[in-house]
């Protein structure tokens, strides 16, 4: 696999979604028992929802921060396989995740872009001060940057907000030789459009690793279906052995 006729391995871009963290005990969004089956995304994942009822949104993300801090929630074999790929692959590996958990970091991945933000960080709406915050957040807290009270929000990208580091992501997509999409339903843009960008502007291989075909499944040249903790390590093993 390479971006040109030479045998030199090319750069890899990996996109992950909530499915890669499912076997670690974190909920997905659109599966039958997913988050959006229990709460209205308009109420908790939009700026309008936060303006309307900030305490509801704080409670939503506080519950997810508490779950993520549960010692039972650990990176699984899929997270570990991606960290191994980054460590052993002879070219660049960029991991773009829609997930706001820190399981990729804890598995050892380094080149990570959290395009939808991070659950364990909060940001001041007044002065943009950004701080690591693994605990519960409320309107009573004050910003360490400007001292204002009640201006802190989750450092998370809501619907209608621009995802983070998009220029860096599109640069990497335009130069990759392999694009792998893992554990995402392919329903949220712009992430769901990455595979089309790769097909339009590169000759890269496109691979989907998912529990079941995603909405964009037909856009991928290859696919391997099953739980991420099985299909991702197997794919990485073949890639590193030169058999894929
Ligand atoms: C943007 C917050 C433009 C973080 C999330 C009106 C106004 C503006 C934009 C729009 C609009 N209407 C529509 C849009 C576009 C919108 C969008 O795409 N909407 C969809 C619903 C149609 N997108 C946006 O708004 C984005 N912003 O476009 O801005 C702009 C331009 C200029 C200037 C300013 C703005 C922002 C999108 C980000 C929204 N934030 N969440 C949080 O709380 O977590 S989105 C939410 O969905 C999560 O972030 C999640 O990451 C993301 C994608 O979900 P998935 O990860 O795919 O999870 P899902 O449950 O769907 O699927 C799981 C998959 O795993 C399944 O396929 C399942 O089969 C599989 N699976 C399950 N178990 C396993 C498994 N796979 C392997 N192994 C297993 N064991």
């Amino acid at each position: 696999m390479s971006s040109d006729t030479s045998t030199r391995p090319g750069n890899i871009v990996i996109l992950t979604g909530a499915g890669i963290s499912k076997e670690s005990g974190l909920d997905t969004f659109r599966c039958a028992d997913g988050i959006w089956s229990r709460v209205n995304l308009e109420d908790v994942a939009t700026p309008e929802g936060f303006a309307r009822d900030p305490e509801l949104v704080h409670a939503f993300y506080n519950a997810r921060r508490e779950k993520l801090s549960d010692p039972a929630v650990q990176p699984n074999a899929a997270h570990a396989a991606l960290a191994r790929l980054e460590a052993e692959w002879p070219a660049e590996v960029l991991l773009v995740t829609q997930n706001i958990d820190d399981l990729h970091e804890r598995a050892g991945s380094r080149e990570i872009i959290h395009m939808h933000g991070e659950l364990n960080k909060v940001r001041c709406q007044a002065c943009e001060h950004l701080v690591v915050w693994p605990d519960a957040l409320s309107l009573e807290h004050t910003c360490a940057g400007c001292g204002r009270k009640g201006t802190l929000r989750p450092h998370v990208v809501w619907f209608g907000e621009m995802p983070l580091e998009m220029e860096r992501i599109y640069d990497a997509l335009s130069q990759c030789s392999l694009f792998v999409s893992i554990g995402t339903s392919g329903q949220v843009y712009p992430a769901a459009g990455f595979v089309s960008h790769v097909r339009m502007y590169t000759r890269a291989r496109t691979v989907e690793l998912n529990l079941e075909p995603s909405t964009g499944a037909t856009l991928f040249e290859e696919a391997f279906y099953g739980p991420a903790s099985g299909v991702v390590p197997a794919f990485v093993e073949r890639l590193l052995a030169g058999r894929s």
Side-chain angles (χ1 to χ4, degrees), residues 146-231:
C146 65
R148 291 184 181 85
K149 181 174 163 185
T151 58
L152 296 173
R153 61 163 277 181
H155 180 54
V156 162
V157 177
W158 288 325
F159 286 96
E161 295 185 324
M162 179 57 93
L164 308 175
E165 300 204 60
M166 291 308 295
E167 193 173 330
R168 185 174 158 212
I169 293 171
Y170 282 116
D171 281 351
L173 290 170
S174 303
Q175 298 169 49
C176 76
S177 303
L178 170 61
F179 175 69
V180 190
S181 178
I182 303 172
T184 179
S185 62
Q187 295 187 39
V188 174
Y189 288 84
F194 289 170
V195 61
S196 299
H197 181 92
V198 168
R199 288 165 56 105
M200 174 96 62
Y201 297 108
T202 77
R203 295 186 2 246
R205 271 175 77 193
T206 52
V207 181
E208 175 170 77
L209 307 178
N210 209 50
L211 187 64
E212 62 206 356
S214 71
T215 304
T218 56
L219 296 170
F220 291 88
E221 288 169 69
E222 302 164 67
F224 300 90
Y225 295 119
S229 63
V231 296

Side-chain angles (χ1 to χ4, degrees), residues 18 23 29-30 61 64 98 116 157 160-161 184-185 189 210 228:
E23 292 162 90
F29 291 88
R30 295 171 185 82
Y61 286 99
R64 290 173 68 188
Q98 299 173 90
H116 290 167
V157 177
E161 295 185 324
T184 179
S185 62
Y189 288 84
N210 209 50

Side-chain angles (χ1 to χ4, degrees), residues 41-156:
L41 74 82
E42 285 78 15
D43 294 335
V44 295
T46 64
E48 296 78 12
F50 186 59
R52 193 164 50 242
D53 189 344
E55 284 166 339
L56 174 72
V57 176
H58 281 317
F60 174 65
Y61 286 99
N62 290 345
R64 290 173 68 188
R65 257 185 235 102
E66 187 174 3
K67 177 67 178 171
L68 184 57
S69 68
D70 181 337
V73 175
Q74 294 295 331
N76 63 58
H79 297 103
L82 296 184
R84 177 189 173 207
L85 179 62
E86 178 185 336
E88 298 181 18
W89 188 251
E92 300 291 313
V93 177
L94 176 64
L95 177 51
V96 180
T97 185
Q98 299 173 90
N99 300 339
I100 61 176
D101 64 57
D102 61 353
L103 297 179
H104 284 306
E105 288 86 346
R106 289 163 53 189
S109 287
R110 292 285 170 271
E111 284 302 309
I112 303 171
I113 292 179
H114 281 276
M115 65 179 290
H116 290 167
E118 296 176 70
L119 186 55
N120 285 339
K121 288 181 182 171
V122 303
R123 184 173 84 233
C124 177
Q125 297 177 101
C127 73
E128 294 299 311
H129 182 70
L130 184 63
V131 64
V132 173
W133 195 287
D135 307 312
L137 177 64
S138 80
L139 293 170
E140 298 309 306
H141 288 110
T142 56
C143 169
C146 65
R148 291 184 181 85
K149 181 174 163 185
T151 58
L152 296 173
R153 61 163 277 181
H155 180 54
V156 162

